[in-house]
């Protein structure tokens, strides 16, 4: 998508005089999902199997049929904003959801959660005794993973664990519980039973941040800012509230307040690469070009393989672009030329991504 944006800027610059090119880069990173369910599924599978391998437990095999069941459950949770082991549409628990496809399959286990990133959700799983027990259970050999997004920022995850699946159980055309008509007439008002376990409830600060982002997308910036500030008052260390607050200030060209917000994120998490990117962009707009250059240079040297929930290619492209702009402002034409060459080379190497449905 970044490639399409820059091609547009190059070919139709006269038609977009009111839109600065660097703002399009920021808008792109803000608007489009950077990863899709399939790649996120691989990230979570790798994180899960690393935990097992470290302890001498055989890695789990990703099962496509279990993943279909898990994916549908995650999509239901995302649609109705319900983190539960019970289907908000069908009222089925794990045993019934899997049992419709594999009637005699045992043992079974399930982890469900919502959060901002796959590494964060995995960390929460490992810090919870019940979820951790499922991940490290040597009786489990198969896993199904479902990942769905609610808006641009919240991810719903379902992990289904099972033992070996005999060949005779696997039909050529598997049947699924969600092929049936829904059993609940009003799924939107469904409330999970209080007795359920292994569920992460959404904290108050996250609810406020999600509400703030909905307001932000509606153009209600003042109300969104109030939500983010309330979230910070509830939890002063909740970095996503500072980050989203910074995005709103940046959009409003209130760069001083945006600078403060992104610094607050980095003070609590130094390796937050998106905040570092926006910090550099904010420095650029404030005319502090040397500080902007420092931030963008650091982003071009990052080993993005250590950050599986970050789209390193797009961050590097955006960083090189801003780096060239900053060098140009300082009159360093040679540095600008070298940076621009690097930027163009990366453009040719990166395949444009499309937003998920």
């Amino acid at each position: 998508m970044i490639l399409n944006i820059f091609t547009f800027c190059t070919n139709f610059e006269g038609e977009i005089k009111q839109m600065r090119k660097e703002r399009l880069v920021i808008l792109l990173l803000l608007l489009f999902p950077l990863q899709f369910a399939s790649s996120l599924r691989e990230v979570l599978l790798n994180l899960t199997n690393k935990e097992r391998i470290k302890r001498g437990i055989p890695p789990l095999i990703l099962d496509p049929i279990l993943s279909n069941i898990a994916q549908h459950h995650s999509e239901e949770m995302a649609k109705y904003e319900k983190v539960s082991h019970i289907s908000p549409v069908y009222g089925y628990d794990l045993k019934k959801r899997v049992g419709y496809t594999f009637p005699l399959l045992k043992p079974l286990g399930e982890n469900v959660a919502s959060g901002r990133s796959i590494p964060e959700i995995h960390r929460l799983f490992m810090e919870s005794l019940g979820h951790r027990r499922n991940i490290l259970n040597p009786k489990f050999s198969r896993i199904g993973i479902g990942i769905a997004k609610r808006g641009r920022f919240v991810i719903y995850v379902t992990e289904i664990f099972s033992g070996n699946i005999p060949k005779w159980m696997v039909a050529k055309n598997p049947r699924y519980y969600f092929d049936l008509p829904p059993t609940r007439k009003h799924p939107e008002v469904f409330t999970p039973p209080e007795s359920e376990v292994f569920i992460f409830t959404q904290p108050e600060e996250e609810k406020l941040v999600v509400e703030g982002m909905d307001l932000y997308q509606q153009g209600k910036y003042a109300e969104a800012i109030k939500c983010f500030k309330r979230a910070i008052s509830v939890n002063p260390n909740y970095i996503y509230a500072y980050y989203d607050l910074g995005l709103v200030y940046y959009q409003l060209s209130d760069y001083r307040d945006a600078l403060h917000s992104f610094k607050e994120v980095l003070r609590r998490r130094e390796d937050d690469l998106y905040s570092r990117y926006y910090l550099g962009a904010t420095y650029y707009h404030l005319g502090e070009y040397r500080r902007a250059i420092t931030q963008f240079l650091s982003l071009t040297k990052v080993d993005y393989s250590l950050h599986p929930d970050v789209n390193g290619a797009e961050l590097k492209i955006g960083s090189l672009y801003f780096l060239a702009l900053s060098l140009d402002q300082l009159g360093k034409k040679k540095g600008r030329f070298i940076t621009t060459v690097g930027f163009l080379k990366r453009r040719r190497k990166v395949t444009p991504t499309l937003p998920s449905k």
Side-chain angles (χ1 to χ4, degrees):
M1 294 304 297
I2 281 183
L3 305 189
N4 295 341
I5 291 289
F6 277 104
T7 302
F8 177 84
C9 290
T10 302
N11 297 337
F12 301 97
E13 190 167 3
E15 298 181 17
I16 55 170
K17 293 180 180 179
Q18 304 302 318
M19 299 183 69
R20 301 178 65 179
K21 293 182 187 178
E22 65 270 17
R23 278 300 185 85
L24 288 174
V25 179
I26 298 295
L27 185 62
L28 170 72
L29 292 173
L30 183 61
L31 288 180
F32 292 101
L34 299 182
Q35 289 185 311
F36 310 104
S38 58
S39 60
L40 292 177
R41 186 179 288 126
E42 292 172 4
V43 170
L44 184 54
L45 178 66
N46 290 336
L47 290 172
T48 300
N49 279 335
K50 282 181 182 179
E51 300 290 353
R52 292 172 66 94
I53 292 170
K54 279 194 302 185
R55 296 163 177 82
I57 306 170
L60 295 166
I61 297 173
L62 186 66
D63 185 84
I65 298 178
L66 290 179
S67 291
N68 287 340
I69 298 171
Q71 183 63 34
H72 192 86
H73 188 65
S74 290
E75 289 172 1
E76 284 185 359
M77 292 195 299
K79 182 176 181 179
Y80 298 108
E81 300 181 78
K82 301 290 184 183
V83 180
S84 173
H85 293 287
I86 307 294
S87 165
V89 177
Y90 292 85
Y92 294 166
D93 61 10
L94 171 65
K95 186 177 179 180
K96 287 185 178 180
R97 283 184 281 116
V98 175
Y100 191 80
T101 306
F102 299 120
L104 302 176
L105 185 59
K106 292 182 180 179
L108 290 172
E110 181 177 62
N111 291 343
V112 293
S114 66
R116 287 297 191 101
S117 71
I118 293 301
E120 176 195 28
I121 290 174
H122 175 72
R123 177 180 59 79
L124 291 172
F125 280 154
M126 291 303 296
E127 291 175 355
S128 165
L129 179 61
H131 297 88
R132 179 188 177 94
R133 189 164 61 235
N134 280 338
I135 290 172
L136 301 179
N137 191 337
K139 294 182 180 180
F140 293 141
S141 59
R142 299 289 189 275
I143 186 173
I145 299 175
I147 300 171
K149 281 191 174 183
R150 173 77 182 187
R152 295 196 300 269
F153 299 96
V154 181
I155 300 172
Y156 287 79
V157 171
T158 302
E159 293 179 332
I160 297 177
F161 304 88
S162 81
N164 287 323
I165 303 176
K167 289 185 178 180
W168 62 266
M169 272 195 192
V170 182
K172 185 176 182 180
N173 297 305
R175 62 175 192 168
Y176 297 100
Y177 74 94
F178 48 80
D179 294 329
L180 301 171
T183 57
R184 293 182 178 272
K185 294 182 179 179
H186 303 288
E188 66 276 6
V189 299
F190 169 67
T191 302
E194 294 182 1
S195 60
E196 288 190 353
V197 293
F198 301 169
I199 295 176
F200 298 135
T201 57
Q202 193 176 41
E204 180 65 23
E205 58 268 30
E206 176 65 9
K207 292 179 181 178
L208 288 167
V209 165
V210 172
E211 181 184 348
M213 289 312 301
D214 287 340
L215 291 168
Y216 168 74
Q217 293 170 28
Q218 297 170 33
K220 300 177 181 179
Y221 301 126
E223 295 176 47
I225 289 172
K226 288 180 181 178
C227 280
F228 298 140
K229 287 185 174 180
R230 284 171 57 199
I232 292 171
S233 67
V234 171
N235 183 355
N237 290 315
Y238 193 59
I239 63 170
Y240 298 115
Y242 291 105
Y243 177 79
D244 294 339
L245 183 61
L247 291 180
V248 178
Y249 283 137
Y250 188 96
Q251 182 68 21
L252 295 173
S253 300
D254 189 347
Y255 297 121
R256 287 296 173 190
D257 284 334
L259 189 71
H260 171 75
S261 297
F262 295 128
K263 281 185 175 180
E264 287 295 315
V265 176
L266 293 169
R267 188 164 68 86
R268 291 164 174 80
R269 184 183 292 178
E270 292 182 359
D271 64 345
D272 191 280
L273 302 182
Y274 287 112
S275 293
R276 191 167 298 283
Y277 179 89
Y278 282 108
L279 182 67
T282 304
Y283 276 135
Y284 172 82
H285 287 293
L286 288 171
E288 300 183 36
Y289 303 119
R290 295 186 187 280
R291 289 184 174 179
I293 288 170
T294 300
Q295 299 300 324
F296 293 125
L297 277 176
S298 69
L299 287 170
T300 62
K301 299 174 182 178
V302 169
D303 181 359
Y304 287 95
S305 65
L306 302 177
H307 302 272
D309 58 336
V310 169
N311 190 313
E314 291 190 347
L315 273 186
K316 281 186 177 180
I317 288 176
S319 298
L320 286 168
Y321 184 76
F322 265 111
L323 195 55
L325 291 176
S326 300
L327 290 168
D328 186 49
Q329 292 293 334
L330 293 175
K332 298 182 181 296
K333 295 184 178 180
K334 182 178 179 180
R336 179 191 62 184
F337 174 76
I338 294 173
T339 304
T340 303
V341 170
F343 163 72
L344 292 173
K345 285 182 178 179
R346 290 192 180 279
R347 281 184 62 187
R348 286 195 291 270
K349 290 181 181 179
V350 178
T351 302
T353 57
L354 297 176
S356 58
K357 295 181 181 179

